[in-house]
Amino acid sequence: SYIYIKPGDKKTEKLTLNLDGTVEYTEEGDSGLETFHSVAEGNSTWEIEGEKVTIKLETLRKTTKIKSMQPIPGMESGSTTDPNVYFAITTQELLNAKNFGTNKWRLP
């Protein structure tokens, strides 16, 4: 398992790469205007391709809650679903992960 903390974006990602090739992924965030939670659904997988690990999320569901009483036009509470979300992480970044630091993958 790994976590990625982005203080500037005020969010934390959690990633678990299981031995059977499946993935568990969540993302939590809290800004001045909204809170959100994302979770991977469906058949999410990972594989090593050369010097990178490719993460393939079948579906990423994001639930947003607006905190402001007067939301900005176009911003609203609710859920969105994004199919086929892919991202890559270098193998060295995961192999060298420590249990401290921000803006990088680290051990929990």
Side-chain angles (χ1 to χ4, degrees):
S1 290
Y2 300 91
I3 59 174
Y4 197 111
I5 299 174
K6 288 187 174 180
D9 293 342
K10 297 185 179 172
K11 73 177 184 177
T12 300
E13 299 172 67
K14 296 180 182 176
L15 173 68
T16 301
L17 306 176
N18 298 308
L19 291 176
D20 64 359
T22 60
V23 170
E24 296 168 39
Y25 177 84
T26 61
E27 177 183 48
E28 306 244 356
D30 188 349
S31 70
L33 299 175
E34 67 181 4
T35 59
F36 65 88
H37 173 79
S38 301
V39 63
E41 298 177 338
N43 184 31
S44 298
T45 61
W46 67 276
E47 64 183 6
I48 297 174
E49 299 173 333
E51 293 296 315
K52 67 180 179 178
V53 177
T54 301
I55 312 299
K56 300 174 182 177
L57 308 179
E58 182 176 326
T59 304
L60 185 63
R61 178 176 303 281
K62 181 177 183 178
T63 303
T64 303
K65 182 178 179 187
I66 303 301
K67 297 194 293 187
S68 172
M69 295 300 288
Q70 297 179 349
I72 296 171
M75 287 184 72
E76 58 186 45
S77 295
S79 292
T80 58
T81 302
D82 293 319
N84 302 315
V85 176
Y86 292 23
F87 61 96
I89 306 166
T90 66
T91 54
Q92 288 303 310
E93 191 172 359
L94 296 179
L95 290 171
N96 296 325
K98 307 289 185 224
N99 63 352
F100 58 87
T102 58
N103 293 309
K104 63 182 177 182
W105 287 102
R106 70 182 207 182
L107 301 172

